[in-house]
């Protein structure tokens, strides 16, 4: 029904205005990054902590997601309800989640409330109560979210794809496992809090309508007393490529593929991303045209670049009927292969225009901007300026792309399909 | 995993700045509405046409969604690919969809491209090619989207709930039916295009960084030659309340309920919406606290106000396990009933603060603003100013709410559950 253009361009920019992220590192190791958007009445904050399913102790998979829920249920002098009420009295809109390598808390609020919001926001990581009384409800929600995956075949596919593609613990599901969640105790998750809720390696990114002096003072006041060393995350290791079919009680077939490279933030990554936007990323892109428009094979198809810390990979996705699964996968792989023959100048310009346009739109939002800054510092070690991202995309030439695709043949992808058993003979041989 | 605050507040405002939508009606009947956001480099447009599943001919359910797809596949001198390329060369990000009473096209682009984008955007409704060669692919996509519903239990629930709740043709699924889609021919859908792609009753809403004179001139130039009378939509009629269980091959149970009133845009609707935000709309709200936080009964729970043209209704939703379905529904209904006992001043202030904060955040986006303006004109017949919405929410007192909930007891809701057969004896008696 919906046909939103799901471009996977780099996030957020406004080329017309010089918007330079300002960075500071507190004595305790917390990195603070801020981009002023003075025309906005709001400020958005994203706090990223370097823990997730990757850091869960063996046998206790799901500890991170339970900790992420539990730590928001009361902090400092405030019990769960009082903390929630205090944030809502200030009009704070909250979000966040726990993923593979990181867990985040987000908040958007009026700039005038900055000094009132920061101490409450910080308290969830600096002094979470972790009351016994709240533990079971936090675990129970995690169990339900895990169980609800059974009714979300696309989400299950991504979990299975990453499990097959990544050999290191980043391949674990952020939802945990039934056994891991059942084995958790308050004492064990408190120990995870002690290990993981630390300023070293954490990133606090903000964007919006306040000035840097105020932001830094409020952040320092709220987070300055936080202490402790962070945990080192393991590097990403890729598994052996191959094909796998996961039998699921679904009507449709979900097709996923993944292959590694290049390293995020490098010039090669910009070239790769532009090439990928010729393939996917808009309604006129090759995949959409060949798979969806011409053949009507799928209801959804896309390819996009994703990052783990210091590691980039490409994911392809298609959702289709069991009858069309084989042909869809074949066309998808053929289009990936055909990229090596090069792109036209027209295709390149169109892909770049789309990426630059997306940068402008996303750059209009304070929450998208805070998220981009946090991801940059977490994944690349520094926040890029919008001008830098824009200039890097603009600088990619058709020669760059064609030399890149000619010399970087498609690595053998990991392919995972998920759907009824009867397709197993076909797509999943 | 994610815990985004899904507040259902009225959309979009920035109280600090006087932002007044400007409106014009062209000679052909098209209403144009614009809100300037001069600090933005982009402009967003939403074109709403008064056709959807409600207007599908009997036996041809799905005609609207196929028309919506088909009309975007080439217009004027440009075939499908050329049109898509032309829009992408201008960096246009497109979206839209076909729903019950309306179908929409959306576009976001740099303000500097306004005059180049408008003629292309307009051509999809003023001169769609509707080439035979594109018909089957458009229908095939609609068939696949309908089939993919089998793997989206929550979406299926909403379709089943509306089908049970609404007796008039607005109760039909926007996805159509397998039989209806199979019966469609190019000639029949062309006739639907002739009936439905008309300026009378259509709304073109824009927001962003251009001035009104430019916007109006560009819109007039692109849409001025469009001719034809619109189709009258039937009024909404509510069915007899009751309970129904839909057996589905899902792991979880989806619970939905709906009841009518009040009329959108009235003072009563503001009071109702504030009361509903005490119940749902934030992490500290009653439903979230009672159902999710205290009892850990569900992975998702919410209640929100929805509108059809001139008709408002409340929808409640919860997703849970089969074992918890009975208790979840019971607690949900008890919380709805308990609203009639009144709300506290503290709860009211918190709900209003959340709604006003959401208005500010949503008002920062040009696409959200264009969407709000289009919905206002389409559903209420006029675009409210942000100041009006803000003032109306701010004016709601605890006495207003408590008098309203005491005198407007909960109508008997339509309740639909969807999930495994074994729960049928419980929640779906």
């Amino acid at each position: 029904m919906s046909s939103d253009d799901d471009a996977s361009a780099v996030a957020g920019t406004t080329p017309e205005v010089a918007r330079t992220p300002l960075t500071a590192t507190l004595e305790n190791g917390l990195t603070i990054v801020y981009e002023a958007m003075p025309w906005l009445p709001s400020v958005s904050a994203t706090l990223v902590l370097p823990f997730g399913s990757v850091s869960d102790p063996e046998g206790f998979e799901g500890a991170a997601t339970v900790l992420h829920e539990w730590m928001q249920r009361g902090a400092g002098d405030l019990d769960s309800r009082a903390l929630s009420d205090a944030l809502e009295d200030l009009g704070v809109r909250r979000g966040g989640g726990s993923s593979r390598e990181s867990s985040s808390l987000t908040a958007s609020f009026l700039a005038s409330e900055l000094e009132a919001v920061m101490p409450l926001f910080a308290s969830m990581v600096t002094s979470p109560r972790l009351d016994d009384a709240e533990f079971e409800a936090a675990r129970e929600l995690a169990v339900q979210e895990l169980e609800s995956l059974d009714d979300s075949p696309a989400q299950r596919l991504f979990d299975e794809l990453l499990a097959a593609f990544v050999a290191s613990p980043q391949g674990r599901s952020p939802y945990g496992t039934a056994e891991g969640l059942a084995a958790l105790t308050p004492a064990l998750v408190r120990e995870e809090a002690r290990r993981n809720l630390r300023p070293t390696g954490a990133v606090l990114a903000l964007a919006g309508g306040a000035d840097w002096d105020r932001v830094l003072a409020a952040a320092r006041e709220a987070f300055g007393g936080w202490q402790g060393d962070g945990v080192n995350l393991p590097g990403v290791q890729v598994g052996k490529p191959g094909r796998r079919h996961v039998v699921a009680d679904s009507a449709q077939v979900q097709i996923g593929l993944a292959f590694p490279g290049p390293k995020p933030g490098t010039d090669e990554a910009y070239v790769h991303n532009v090439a990928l936007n010729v393939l996917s990323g808009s309604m006129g892109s090759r995949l959409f045209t060949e798979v969806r428009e011409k053949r009507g094979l799928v209801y959804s198809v896309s390819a996009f670049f994703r990052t783990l810390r210091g590691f980039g990979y490409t994911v392809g996705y298609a959702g289709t009927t069991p009858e069309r699964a084989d042909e869809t996968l074949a066309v998808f792989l053929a289009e990936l292969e055909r990229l090596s023959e090069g792109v036209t100048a027209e295709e390149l310009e169109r892909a770049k225009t789309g990426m630059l346009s997306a940068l402008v739109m996303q750059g209009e939002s304070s929450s998208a901007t805070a998220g981009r800054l946090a991801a940059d510092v977490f994944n690349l070690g520094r926040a890029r300026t919008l001008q830098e991202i824009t200039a890097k995309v603009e600088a990619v030439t058709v020669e760059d792309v064609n030399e890149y695709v000619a010399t970087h043949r498609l690595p053998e992808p990991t392919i995972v399909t998920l759907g009824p058993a009867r397709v197993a003979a076909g797509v999943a041989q």
Side-chain angles (χ1 to χ4, degrees), chain A:
Chain A
M1 199 71 30
S2 165
S3 54
D4 276 294
D5 182 350
D6 187 17
S8 57
V10 196
T13 184
T14 306
E16 289 79 356
V17 190
R19 285 167 55 176
T20 305
L22 298 160
T23 304
T25 303
L26 298 189
E27 294 71 13
N28 60 12
L30 176 67
T31 302
I32 298 170
V33 54
Y34 181 64
E35 192 165 303
M37 303 170 72
W39 55 92
L40 292 183
S42 70
V43 168
S44 290
T46 297
L47 176 65
V48 177
L49 297 151
F51 74 94
S53 52
V54 69
S55 54
D56 283 344
E58 201 77 33
F60 299 94
E61 292 79 8
T65 186
V66 171
L67 171 57
H68 180 265
E69 173 67 30
W70 199 18
M71 76 193 201
Q72 298 179 67
R73 293 173 170 251
D77 296 335
L78 304 177
D79 67 16
S80 184
R81 180 58 193 260
L83 175 63
S84 170
D85 286 353
L87 286 162
E88 289 179 11
D89 286 342
L90 295 166
V92 177
R93 298 174 69 77
R94 297 158 67 186
S98 182
S99 63
R100 292 169 193 279
E101 290 186 316
S102 64
S103 297
S104 67
L105 297 175
T106 68
S108 294
F109 45 89
L110 295 182
S112 54
E113 306 289 7
L114 175 68
E115 286 78 7
V117 171
M118 272 296 123
L120 293 169
F121 187 60
S123 69
M124 293 183 279
V125 294
T126 60
S127 54
R129 289 168 68 113
L130 306 178
D131 288 333
D132 275 350
E134 297 290 338
F135 177 77
E136 274 309 325
R139 166 161 61 190
E140 191 50 50
L141 282 177
V143 169
Q144 289 202 40
E145 283 178 341
L146 175 66
E147 289 176 352
S148 74
L149 275 189
D150 284 343
D151 292 334
S152 305
Q155 184 58 51
R156 266 193 75 191
L157 172 79
F158 281 105
D159 262 21
E160 298 282 359
L161 178 65
L162 269 284
F165 175 59
V166 179
S168 48
Q170 284 89 347
R172 293 174 179 169
S173 169
Y175 292 87
T177 63
E179 300 71 31
L181 290 169
L184 295 176
T185 61
L188 186 129
V189 181
R190 275 195 201 101
E191 174 59 21
E192 288 302 292
R194 201 197 55 75
R195 282 206 313 146
N196 292 320
L197 303 185
R198 300 303 188 95
T200 309
V203 182
L204 174 66
L206 302 104
D211 59 52
W212 170 235
D213 292 345
R214 263 186 77 200
V215 168
L216 184 58
R220 187 187 295 279
E221 176 76 21
F223 287 94
W226 194 18
Q227 291 302 332
D229 292 333
V231 178
N232 286 326
L233 298 179
V236 176
Q237 293 190 313
V238 173
K240 196 174 163 309
R243 287 193 182 199
R244 193 176 158 229
H245 181 73
V246 179
V247 176
D249 200 10
S250 62
Q252 308 289 303
V253 176
Q254 312 290 325
I255 300 171
L257 57 87
F259 54 87
K263 194 173 155 68
T266 59
D267 285 352
E268 201 168 285
Y270 285 100
V271 175
H272 179 84
N273 224 338
V274 171
L276 215 51
N277 271 270
V278 171
L279 191 67
S280 180
S282 76
M283 291 186 188
S285 61
R286 291 184 179 184
L287 270 182
F288 205 84
T289 305
E290 295 300 320
V291 179
R292 185 174 151 126
E293 300 292 295
K294 282 197 197 161
R295 293 181 177 81
L297 284 175
V298 301
Y299 59 91
S300 179
V301 61
S302 56
F304 40 89
F305 190 60
R306 286 251 173 120
T307 55
L308 288 164
R309 181 178 275 199
F311 175 79
Y313 60 104
T314 298
V315 173
Y317 167 74
T320 186
T321 62
E323 297 72 31
R324 291 185 178 87
D326 280 335
E327 187 181 354
T328 300
L329 178 58
V331 175
F332 204 130
L333 291 172
E335 286 302 321
L336 278 169
E337 196 58 47
R338 186 162 74 90
L339 251 195
S340 67
E341 296 165 19
V343 306
T344 67
E346 199 184 21
E347 284 179 315
L348 182 87
E349 276 315 305
R350 195 168 291 139
K352 285 167 60 176
T353 300
M355 291 170 77
L356 294 168
S357 175
L359 285 167
V360 174
M361 314 287 171
Q362 292 160 11
E364 294 177 354
S365 150
S366 62
S367 56
T369 300
R372 171 179 61 77
L373 296 174
D376 261 15
V377 174
F378 189 79
N379 291 316
L380 310 181
R382 71 183 184 93
R384 292 171 292 180
T385 65
L386 295 163
Q387 290 73 25
E388 175 183 345
I389 301 173
T390 304
K392 289 283 192 182
V393 172
E394 279 173 347
V396 174
T397 66
V398 72
E399 291 75 25
D400 292 337
V401 171
N402 288 343
E403 190 192 323
Y404 173 78
V405 294
T407 53
H408 293 73
R409 299 300 292 260
L410 177 69
E412 190 188 339
T414 296
I415 300 174
V416 175
T417 50
L418 183 143
R422 63 197 150 103
V423 301
V427 292
Q429 62 215 204

